[in-house]
Amino acid sequence: MDIMTLTPDENGQVDWPALSPDRRAVVTVGVFDGMHQGHAAVIGKVVELAKQTDSFAVVVLFDPRPGLVHRYAAEHDGAALPEDAVDVEALTGVDQRLRVMRDLGVDVVLQVRYSLPFAAKSYRFFLGQMVGRVGMRTLVLGTDAAMGNNREGDIKAIDTLAQATGVFELVVVDDRGPGEVRIPADAHPEAPTEPGEPQDPTAGMTKAQLRAWSKRHQGRRTRAWSSTNVRYLLGHGRVKDANAILGRPHAVEGVVVHGEERGRALGFPTANLGERLDGYLPVDGVYAGWLVDLGPAESHGPTDDATCPALERIDADSADAGRTAARLHPYDDHGAVTRCAADSPYRWPAAISIGTKPTFSEQTGLHERVAEAYAITEDGSWLDLYGHRVRFEFAGFLHPMVRYDGVDELIAALNSYVDQTRRLTA
């Protein structure tokens, strides 16, 4: 898979690549936050149609999330989102999405830095660029997709444009999943108060009871397969339900930093993640899951497009292709997929803790939210992962964060979490 990062100019114009003078493209467009099963269905159709027509399977990926860009502008008098802004609501970092796209068989990802001037362009202008520059002949979208200024380019409008021009076809994929769910309008993360995986509060309700619940909570109908639903579930500790939508364990990634090292003194040394994370941090609590060592952090630095090898398949005689070849380059996951494999020697079951440390907060005065994991190794040895990029994968919720009366009680609880983690990850 090859990738190119594109930054719109101050007028929202993008210097789109000409992939090939002869080979056409099947394209989809979106954020694909979480890369859940609905996203996989859309991208899977792109790959399928591209193979049938010997075309490029292309994903136009927007980052940062449009919602973040527009919300920031609304709260800051129309200002642009700072380049170093952290999106704490994003389910997955870009690199996590790219790995899944490559596994699905995507040929090219055009990663666009979403901006307000870019958003102001009409959907007609955008699709004209896709056809004229990228070579799009088929556009694949989900059922409720929309694009362009004020999201005016909905499925009906795009289909009308496709039929009127005849230069591309629109294929719509049912990406909604098993119906709809109801999410409270004022939903916010809320930690479970009891041990064990939380259950759906509406499970087993009659239609009348569900209507009453929705009225009481101002429940909004939301697609089951949606980033909004996954975020809601993780915000309530319902990891297994979230994973079912994702099609894999939810994960966060970050660099291991030095903590207070209290865990090591207790016999449970943990890997503490720094403040900057890729991925949505679930609600506070103790979880079962896995820790994956992705290697030294410096090996995951950004790649300089100008130094990357050009694609051999691009026609060197084409002026556009020559310009493109200097920037379109093979995607490198730095061995992450191999390290994440089930049989990888860099992967261990882990008890994961998210939140403050109630047992010690009164002593230290520190109440910051932290994410740490105790890796369960075969010989019980400590893993020196300082400065490494690691991945926490979540398998299930174990216990809410509580304050224990003493160290002995805390150690007994930690041993219990380890035993439960072994069972859940076996």
Side-chain angles (χ1 to χ4, degrees), residues 311-324:
L311 280 176
E312 294 181 0
R313 66 170 176 262
I314 294 179
D315 184 3
D317 295 329
S318 166
D320 283 340
R323 172 179 51 77
T324 296

Side-chain angles (χ1 to χ4, degrees), residues 345-365:
Y346 301 99
R347 177 185 174 95
W348 301 270
I352 305 168
S353 172
I354 298 175
T356 58
K357 301 178 181 180
T359 303
F360 298 108
S361 290
E362 292 181 5
Q363 301 174 21
T364 64

Side-chain angles (χ1 to χ4, degrees), residues 126-139:
F126 173 77
L127 293 176
Q129 294 285 291
M130 290 294 100
V131 172
R133 295 301 304 276
V134 179
M136 181 185 77
R137 291 299 177 265
T138 303
L139 176 65

Side-chain angles (χ1 to χ4, degrees), residues 355-409:
T356 58
K357 301 178 181 180
T359 303
F360 298 108
S361 290
E362 292 181 5
Q363 301 174 21
T364 64
L366 301 175
H367 299 276
E368 69 271 18
R369 198 164 183 243
V370 296
E372 56 186 330
Y374 169 65
I376 305 172
T377 58
E378 291 184 3
D379 58 1
S381 60
W382 171 63
L383 301 174
D384 184 358
L385 298 173
Y386 292 124
H388 281 222
R389 186 170 182 83
V390 301
R391 175 180 173 92
F392 292 176
E393 296 182 356
F394 297 86
F397 183 87
L398 297 181
H399 203 280
M401 297 294 284
V402 297
R403 184 185 186 282
Y404 293 100
D405 292 332
V407 172
D408 290 342
E409 188 177 348

Side-chain angles (χ1 to χ4, degrees), residues 127-197:
L127 293 176
Q129 294 285 291
M130 290 294 100
V131 172
R133 295 301 304 276
V134 179
M136 181 185 77
R137 291 299 177 265
T138 303
L139 176 65
V140 181
L141 297 173
T143 52
D144 62 353
M147 63 179 68
N149 188 35
N150 296 322
R151 294 175 59 84
E152 294 174 349
D154 58 14
I155 292 297
K156 182 178 180 180
I158 294 173
D159 187 49
T160 298
L161 180 65
Q163 294 189 45
T165 61
V167 295
F168 74 96
E169 67 171 333
L170 173 65
V171 174
V172 179
V173 175
D174 187 351
D175 59 345
R176 295 169 294 183
E180 296 179 324
V181 296
R182 288 177 171 82
I183 296 178
D186 60 348
H188 59 275
E190 185 176 350
T193 57
E194 300 294 332
E197 187 81 9

Side-chain angles (χ1 to χ4, degrees), residues 292-315:
V292 182
D293 175 17
L294 298 176
E298 57 267 22
S299 67
H300 291 262
T303 304
D304 182 359
D305 288 350
T307 64
C308 291
L311 280 176
E312 294 181 0
R313 66 170 176 262
I314 294 179
D315 184 3

Side-chain angles (χ1 to χ4, degrees), residues 87-161:
D87 187 357
V88 297
E89 296 294 313
L91 290 173
T92 49
V94 170
D95 213 44
Q96 295 183 57
R97 286 173 251 172
L98 292 175
R99 293 174 209 152
V100 179
M101 290 177 187
R102 186 183 64 179
D103 289 346
L104 290 171
V106 172
D107 295 314
V108 176
V109 174
L110 302 177
Q111 181 183 334
V112 179
R113 179 166 178 80
Y114 189 90
S115 65
L116 294 174
F118 175 75
K121 297 295 183 183
S122 73
Y123 73 94
R124 294 182 181 86
F125 177 83
F126 173 77
L127 293 176
Q129 294 285 291
M130 290 294 100
V131 172
R133 295 301 304 276
V134 179
M136 181 185 77
R137 291 299 177 265
T138 303
L139 176 65
V140 181
L141 297 173
T143 52
D144 62 353
M147 63 179 68
N149 188 35
N150 296 322
R151 294 175 59 84
E152 294 174 349
D154 58 14
I155 292 297
K156 182 178 180 180
I158 294 173
D159 187 49
T160 298
L161 180 65

